[in-house]
């Protein structure tokens, strides 16, 4: 099935079932579908790049080494995975974890849009440049990380480096902790 059926009543669970049948992205030939997961009423939604090896095996987002670090970062500001919703721009693992192509990102975009429409987060946290590019094509993650960006009257985008970046470049670890601290201050100021 290459089309997406938007006529059935949509929930995250029905989306998951539909995504498994969808073949509109070439990556579906070599990888398993991984939709987002988490609290369907979450105020905060985290968006990564694409599943990696563990995510492809288990069919769940952020369950490998980058996911373990994301859990640590969430815990550092008093949040648990169950409090938030976590997804990806691309719904399949690119071979050998290469960067997703513009075509793959465009093909998977309707799924991310439907997830955002269902969750209705108040704060969207793009993790890294691929997710940031979905919202603001001209912003660089190096300049924008840790700084809230208004998307609409009711939605703020709060870009943060991808946790996997700190696994390759230890110098970014502290920047990620600092950005999560800034995210917490931003959240607290909204109360
Ligand atoms: N990296 C991502 O961007 N997403 C995952 O789900 C895992 C690692």
């Amino acid at each position: 099935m290459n089309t997406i059926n938007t006529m059935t009543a949509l929930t995250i669970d029905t989306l998951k079932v539909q995504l498994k049948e969808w073949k509109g992205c070439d990556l579906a030939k070599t990888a398993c579908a991984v939709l987002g997961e988490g609290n369907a009423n979450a105020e905060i939604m985290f968006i990564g790049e694409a599943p990696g090896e563990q995510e492809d095996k288990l069919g769940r987002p952020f369950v490998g080494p980058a996911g373990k670090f994301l859990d640590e970062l969430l815990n550092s500001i008093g949040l648990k995975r169950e409090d938030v919703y976590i997804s990806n721009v691309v719904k399949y693992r690119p071979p050998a974890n290469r960067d997703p192509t513009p075509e793959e990102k465009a093909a998977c975009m309707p799924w991310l849009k439907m997830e955002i429409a269902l969750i209705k987060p108040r704060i969207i946290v793009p993790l890294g440049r691929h997710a940031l590019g979905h919202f603001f094509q001209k912003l660089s993650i190096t300049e924008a990380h840790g700084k809230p960006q208004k998307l609409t009257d009711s939605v703020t985008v709060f870009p943060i480096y991808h946790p996997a970046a700190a696994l390759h470049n230890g110098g970014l670890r502290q920047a990620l902790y600092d950005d999560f601290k800034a995210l917490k201050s931003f959240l607290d100021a909204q109360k």
Side-chain angles (χ1 to χ4, degrees):
M1 184 185 74
N2 283 340
T3 53
I4 300 171
N5 178 1
T6 51
M7 297 308 283
T8 43
L10 282 188
T11 63
I12 291 298
D13 286 341
T14 58
L15 267 195
K16 213 170 266 181
V17 173
Q18 289 194 32
L19 177 63
K20 283 199 188 334
E21 292 165 10
W22 182 68
K23 302 285 175 247
C25 175
D26 282 350
L27 294 172
K29 292 179 191 145
T30 53
C32 294
V34 181
L35 195 75
E37 67 173 26
N39 187 334
N41 299 312
E43 292 206 313
I44 315 174
M45 177 167 176
F46 289 81
I47 305 174
E49 177 181 325
E53 187 179 8
Q54 288 304 312
E55 290 77 19
D56 182 52
K57 268 194 195 135
L58 301 176
R60 296 178 53 209
F62 281 96
V63 288
K68 300 268 171 317
F69 187 35
L70 178 58
D71 288 349
E72 249 181 77
L73 291 160
L74 287 169
N75 292 341
S76 76
I77 58 166
L79 288 174
K80 297 189 287 298
R81 273 178 90 98
E82 303 82 78
D83 298 324
V84 302
Y85 188 85
I86 303 176
S87 194
N88 281 301
V89 172
V90 168
K91 305 308 187 197
Y92 302 88
R93 179 193 184 198
N97 297 344
R98 65 156 168 73
D99 277 2
T101 65
E103 291 74 22
E104 290 158 358
K105 289 192 272 190
C108 289
M109 192 188 292
W111 297 100
L112 180 60
K113 283 194 169 166
M114 285 188 280
E115 288 178 287
I116 294 171
L118 282 168
I119 303 294
K120 300 186 188 67
R122 210 161 47 80
I123 307 203
I124 296 177
V125 180
L127 297 167
R129 66 194 164 94
H130 291 281
L132 176 60
H134 177 81
F135 300 97
F136 298 102
Q137 284 170 357
K138 296 210 169 111
L139 278 189
S140 103
I141 190 73
T142 315
E143 282 163 21
H145 75 94
K147 299 178 194 146
Q149 318 281 333
K150 184 173 165 170
L151 185 67
T152 66
D153 281 346
S154 51
V155 181
T156 300
V157 168
F158 197 105
I160 290 185
Y161 283 123
H162 195 292
L167 302 179
H168 307 300
N169 171 358
L172 287 183
R173 242 183 116 79
Q174 193 54 49
L176 269 147
Y177 277 107
D178 292 347
D179 284 355
F180 267 74
K181 227 168 133 188
L183 173 63
K184 165 104 170 86
S185 305
F186 181 75
L187 292 170
D188 290 347
Q190 313 286 300
K191 285 179 187 159

